[in-house]
Amino acid sequence: MGEASENRLLIIDDEAQIRSLVIDVAEIAGFAAQEADEPEAFFDACASFQPTVIVLDLQMPQADGIEILRRLSQDKVVAKVLLISGVDQKVLNTAKRFGSAEGLQMLGALTKPFDLNELKALLAKARRGAPTFARADLERAIDNREFVVYYQPKVKLDAEKAQKIEGAEALVRWMHPQHGLLPPDSFIPLAERENVIGRLTDLVLDISFDHLRLCLKANPSLLLSVNFAAQLLDDLDMPDRLARMAQDRGLPAEQIILEITETGVMRDAIRVMDVLTRFRLKNFGLSMDDFGTGYSSLVQLYRLPFSELKIDKSFVMDADSSEEARAIIRSAILLGHELKLNVCAEGVETQSALDFLYSLGCDKAQGYLIGRPMPADRFLELLTNEASSD
């Protein structure tokens, strides 16, 4: 297992001045640094130097940045990737989203000419990053049940604005014996790449279902949402296994919602249709997570039996400042209701954003304004207090 103090930066850019500038900043920030000006030398350096941070120019004569991102994904590179380019900001942001969709750890995106302070801040963030892990570390942690589940409340947005807790999203954390509590982005990408995500999800389901049994005593109608990775939609046995897990604990399937990203439903269409339809036949809810960030949202909503649409937090967090974000939220809520779906907005952090959702008739909301992710005992206490105040 690598340590966080081993900081190595590799930059590929066809401009020598940019390479020199980035290397100077990186070395001051405590990184060993190497450079390349064309793809072949870059990938050779990736193999030998094993960078922890890659700085990638999107526009180069020999290959564009998207081609390099694709190759980095195929090679299962775990370095954090920082994009720099003189292209339009929207193109830069799209390239960053592409890298994330390909399973890469995207550190950020800077437009040339970039602010040196921004570069320094991003490198400092990368340097302070969580340690890197191997498959064996994850498997040991699963065997030792080092993972814990936090719960972020979801509230119902009714006409009286009472904001009663309707449900919660289960969010996994790793209570590492040396490094303390680690967020999901420090281990979920590895679990997906190394096909450990199934075992990890089974553990999360086991823990959260036991917690749900306790929570139902305080709120019998509580809904539990659990994230499902794309790989799990290839498992034809999963619907039966999940139904048995719920039945063994006496949990009603209709109070369990499986949150599935758009990219997840873009896999083997027939197999995904098989698995998702059987989930619905067993009365589990299905939520299309991160709605609006994928490539074929409308087609998937039309073809697959979703019961909920979840508006991605990127739009909700920009609602106060972006008319475009408000237009997408407005359209998503209208579309969801026309398709007879519940609509949940995540990423609610300001009262004005929440008021905007109320004005549009959004059904549910979740975000830091409503409640941060919290341990099971604190969430149960929250439910109990709410029940006693009714």
Side-chain angles (χ1 to χ4, degrees):
M1 183 180 73
E3 297 297 329
S5 59
E6 298 173 355
N7 300 291
R8 298 176 298 278
L9 180 143
L10 175 61
I11 177 172
I12 175 170
D13 194 301
D14 60 328
E15 296 182 62
Q17 186 176 0
I18 294 293
R19 296 197 305 273
S20 178
L21 179 62
V22 171
I23 287 175
D24 286 346
V25 173
E27 290 178 342
I28 292 171
F31 285 80
Q34 288 190 15
E35 61 183 287
D37 61 359
E38 52 87 22
E40 186 176 350
F42 169 75
F43 285 111
D44 286 345
C46 273
S48 60
F49 186 52
Q50 303 227 323
T52 57
V53 171
I54 290 172
V55 179
L56 170 62
D57 182 15
L58 281 182
Q59 289 182 306
M60 292 173 290
Q62 301 93 332
D64 63 59
I66 296 299
E67 293 174 293
I68 292 177
L69 287 171
R70 190 187 314 122
R71 169 78 179 273
L72 291 172
S73 174
Q74 291 167 353
D75 291 348
K76 296 187 176 180
V77 170
V78 298
K80 296 179 174 67
V81 180
L82 171 61
L83 301 178
I84 57 173
S85 182
V87 299
D88 178 85
Q89 186 66 48
K90 285 189 176 181
V91 176
L92 195 55
N93 290 339
T94 301
K96 181 183 172 185
R97 286 195 293 270
F98 172 78
S100 296
E102 286 288 298
L104 297 171
Q105 297 187 68
M106 303 305 293
L107 179 61
L110 296 177
T111 303
K112 294 179 181 179
F114 50 82
D115 186 329
L116 286 183
N117 289 324
E118 287 187 59
L119 176 60
K120 291 175 184 176
L122 288 169
L123 293 183
K125 176 183 175 183
R127 194 175 186 280
R128 291 194 302 266
T132 56
F133 300 101
R135 177 186 179 124
D137 298 308
L138 281 182
E139 291 182 326
R140 175 196 54 77
I142 293 171
D143 291 339
N144 294 341
R145 296 180 73 89
E146 293 174 6
F147 292 95
V148 297
V149 179
Y150 275 42
Y151 298 90
Q152 185 169 30
K154 295 182 180 182
V155 295
K156 184 178 179 63
L157 303 182
D158 56 27
E160 290 75 31
K161 296 191 176 183
Q163 291 184 33
K164 284 184 63 67
I165 296 175
E166 183 183 74
E169 180 178 357
L171 300 165
V172 66
R173 305 286 188 266
W174 185 356
M175 185 60 76
H176 194 280
Q178 280 82 46
H179 302 290
L181 192 67
L182 299 177
D185 60 3
S186 66
F187 57 87
I188 291 293
L190 174 65
E192 293 180 339
R193 284 195 306 272
E194 297 295 337
N195 293 319
V196 185
I197 193 67
R199 287 194 63 203
L200 179 58
T201 301
D202 283 348
L203 178 59
V204 170
L205 291 169
D206 187 52
I207 295 170
S208 60
F209 280 12
D210 284 343
H211 288 157
L212 179 59
R213 289 179 62 191
L214 297 174
C215 291
L216 289 178
K217 296 176 182 178
N219 183 342
S221 61
L222 188 77
L223 302 175
L224 174 71
S225 298
V226 182
N227 292 285
F228 254 54
Q231 292 97 316
L232 302 178
L233 302 183
D234 290 336
D235 185 354
L236 295 177
D237 294 329
M238 179 56 80
D240 289 326
R241 190 160 77 250
L242 193 64
R244 284 194 300 271
M245 291 180 69
Q247 190 173 22
D248 289 347
R249 292 169 172 80
L251 298 176
E254 58 269 20
Q255 289 178 232
I256 298 168
I257 300 172
L258 311 178
E259 296 195 359
I260 299 160
T261 61
E262 294 180 60
T263 50
V265 298
M266 289 169 61
R267 295 167 69 88
D268 184 331
I270 295 177
R271 201 175 186 91
V272 168
M273 195 179 300
D274 178 321
V275 171
L276 294 187
T277 303
R278 291 177 61 235
F279 274 135
R280 292 294 289 130
L281 289 173
K282 296 177 187 299
N283 294 323
F284 292 102
L286 289 179
S287 176
M288 179 180 277
D289 197 11
D290 301 337
F291 180 78
T293 61
Y295 306 106
S296 54
S297 311
L298 299 181
V299 173
Q300 305 303 349
L301 283 177
Y302 174 71
R303 291 172 59 238
L304 298 169
F306 285 98
S307 55
E308 180 180 275
L309 181 156
K310 196 170 185 186
I311 302 172
D312 186 70
K313 63 183 178 183
S314 62
F315 303 116
V316 180
M317 292 171 70
D318 286 348
D320 291 342
S321 59
S322 169
E323 180 54 43
E324 290 87 352
R326 291 193 292 274
I328 289 172
I329 294 168
R330 193 179 295 113
S331 300
I333 293 172
L334 178 61
L335 174 65
H337 288 165
E338 287 290 327
L339 295 176
K340 306 296 189 292
L341 304 176
N342 283 311
V343 180
C344 178
E346 61 179 338
V348 180
E349 296 189 353
T350 65
Q351 185 62 47
S352 56
L354 183 62
D355 290 341
F356 178 63
L357 295 171
Y358 267 117
S359 72
L360 298 174
C362 189
D363 302 297
K364 309 176 192 177
Q366 129 185 39
Y368 285 177
L369 181 70
I370 293 155
R372 291 175 177 266
M374 61 190 72
D377 56 348
R378 281 182 52 202
F379 181 66
L380 180 58
E381 181 182 359
L382 188 66
L383 288 178
T384 304
N385 291 339
E386 184 177 85
S388 63
S389 65
D390 287 345

